[in-house]
Amino acid sequence: MSFDLDLSNLLDDEPAPPPIGHNGGPSIRPRSDMRGTQRLISDIIKDCPAKLIISAMGSGKTGATLDALYDLLNRFEIQHVLVIAPFFVAKNTWPDEIEAWEHTRVLSYAVAVGEPEERIAAVKRRAEITTINFENLTWLAQHIRTIENWYWDCVIIDESSRFKSGEGRTKPTKVKTVNKAGEITIKVRKGGNMTRFGIMTTARRKISRIVELTGTPAPQGIIDLWGQAYLLDQGRRLGPDKSAFERRYFDKDRYTHTVTPRANAERDILAKLEDLLVSIPQEKVVPDPRFIPMKVDLPEHAMRDYREFEKTLFSEPYDVEAVSNGVLANKLLQFANGHLYKEDRSVVHIHDAKMEALEELVDSAQGENLLVFYSFKFDKDAIRKRYPHAIVANENKDAVSLWNQRKIRMLLAHPASIGHGTNLQYGGHIAAWFGLTFSLELWLQANARLPRPGQTDQVLIYPIIARGTYDERALTILNVKDMTQDRIIRNFTLRT
């Protein structure tokens, strides 16, 4: 079969940095340093050929998984492992962790991230462990051409919620372009290409052992579990068809397309997954972060214009229109941050309320390194204009290493680019949210970058909130989503 593809109390003295090892990470550790929960995860992986392991962010599940792979490879129960992870995790975290332990550093590994020639060389090497980012799964399928050339008999999916959509092929989408004259053209991009999920369902029959790792199994609710479960059991528990799964357990609003679980749907779904999912009890190795909201007031004129825009979906002063309530929500978050995108993607400036708050935070930090999460490109551009020394995480291939070596004073990151699995605990303990998100997964994952094992200080996270705007609603929505996910995690938590 072929692949068919078309971010109070700050310390006055700067703490001494921890011992630095490979790529800015910790020094080499003996296997005896494995914590109790790490040994538990390792045993589960060795005992179960297919499992979704829910383990808190920063719990050390990467090291635990490598511990299991070390034994499985040495016992010849598996030959080749493909680790699929977010970009920074595949490029830095897994290689760092392999070299951080005395026993796993003997394993051969290759990193299929970067330029095509680097990826080709990594795949050709046939190392015991190959890491690749989600975005390059399509390239991998094209490169090996046929499923018969798939040689990885074990697959680790780090942050398996990336497969929550469960769509095997792409759908037609409308693409809008604006030329220099301002003329708008809308084209329909044909669907039908195999998605990353589709690629994995095709490769599944060549995989004898599959492990899914996540700290956020259901960021949008119980519906997120179908795709992850399917890759484990190929539809035996929740059914082979996602549409049928949705029709059985959910009601869908024909106008808003909002999906709501039916009575007892959550109970029934979780019961079917009882032997497939496991939630690891969390070890408190570092204190929980302190959240210190910085509430700002928009200038009077900006607040007046905001309310009018919210009411009418059109902002006359800035010539910006929201074509639907969904678009409006995104535009209102933009407004709260201080800029708006116009129809032609040009940017109009509105206020500097959040920038002034960030400046106050920088002054209060008294030289401490600062991690800043931004939402929109204009946020990043505005912050870099005010702080030219700021480094953007996904624009510098050595950003993670330099941050962990405390050589970056301000690190800018979009939560989608650095939110999953990236170890940033060695470079600082203060983070700020310049702009909020509606995504629970991005919120939780980003907030877990600093409070991780190895962090020596109380982590302080400062969400900058524009009072009376959609910022406040976004926080409410995140809290509601988190309640559902917490129920799922508790349901599968091992009793110790």
Side-chain angles (χ1 to χ4, degrees), residues 422-455:
T422 309
N423 291 314
L424 299 177
Q425 66 269 39
Y426 304 105
H429 66 106
I430 307 174
W433 283 84
F434 191 87
L436 296 186
T437 175
F438 285 118
S439 169
L440 176 66
E441 182 174 13
L442 295 184
W443 172 256
L444 294 178
Q445 290 284 354
N447 287 334
R449 295 313 96 214
L450 299 181
R452 302 171 73 81
Q455 176 59 256

Side-chain angles (χ1 to χ4, degrees), residues 292-309:
I292 309 171
M294 297 184 69
K295 294 201 171 185
V296 302
D297 294 308
L298 301 191
E300 184 177 345
H301 77 276
M303 197 69 238
R304 183 178 60 250
D305 293 339
Y306 177 93
R307 289 172 179 153
E308 184 66 19
F309 186 26

Side-chain angles (χ1 to χ4, degrees), residues 269-416:
I269 292 171
L270 297 184
K272 288 180 178 291
L273 299 177
E274 186 175 7
D275 63 331
L276 206 61
L277 278 63
V278 61
S279 183
I280 307 300
Q282 185 174 1
E283 284 182 326
K284 286 293 181 181
V285 293
V286 292
D288 289 332
R290 285 182 55 201
F291 286 83
I292 309 171
M294 297 184 69
K295 294 201 171 185
V296 302
D297 294 308
L298 301 191
E300 184 177 345
H301 77 276
M303 197 69 238
R304 183 178 60 250
D305 293 339
Y306 177 93
R307 289 172 179 153
E308 184 66 19
F309 186 26
E310 184 177 29
K311 181 172 65 176
T312 65
L313 278 70
F314 179 71
S315 177
E316 187 173 354
Y318 309 109
D319 190 27
V320 174
E321 182 179 12
V323 297
S324 68
N325 285 327
V327 173
L328 178 65
N330 191 51
K331 291 291 185 183
L332 291 177
L333 287 180
Q334 294 178 24
F335 204 116
N337 287 6
H339 294 80
L340 276 173
Y341 281 121
K342 301 182 72 171
E343 186 73 20
D344 61 358
R345 297 300 290 176
S346 62
V347 177
V348 57
H349 173 261
I350 303 172
H351 65 82
D352 291 314
K354 288 200 174 185
M355 186 63 69
E356 291 167 1
L358 180 61
E359 292 173 356
E360 180 180 319
L361 178 58
V362 172
D363 291 340
S364 300
Q366 299 179 355
E368 292 277 358
N369 297 337
L370 185 62
L371 171 62
V372 182
F373 298 113
Y374 66 88
S375 299
F376 305 99
K377 183 179 181 295
F378 54 62
D379 296 334
K380 177 189 69 175
D381 294 341
I383 297 171
R384 291 182 80 179
K385 184 176 180 180
R386 173 62 183 84
Y387 299 99
H389 65 273
I391 299 297
V392 180
N394 63 342
E395 295 180 7
N396 186 315
K397 63 184 178 65
D398 298 319
V400 173
S401 175
L402 293 173
W403 167 265
N404 281 325
Q405 294 175 52
R406 297 180 176 269
K407 294 180 179 180
I408 295 178
R409 291 161 55 198
M410 181 181 289
L411 180 65
L412 307 183
H414 191 285

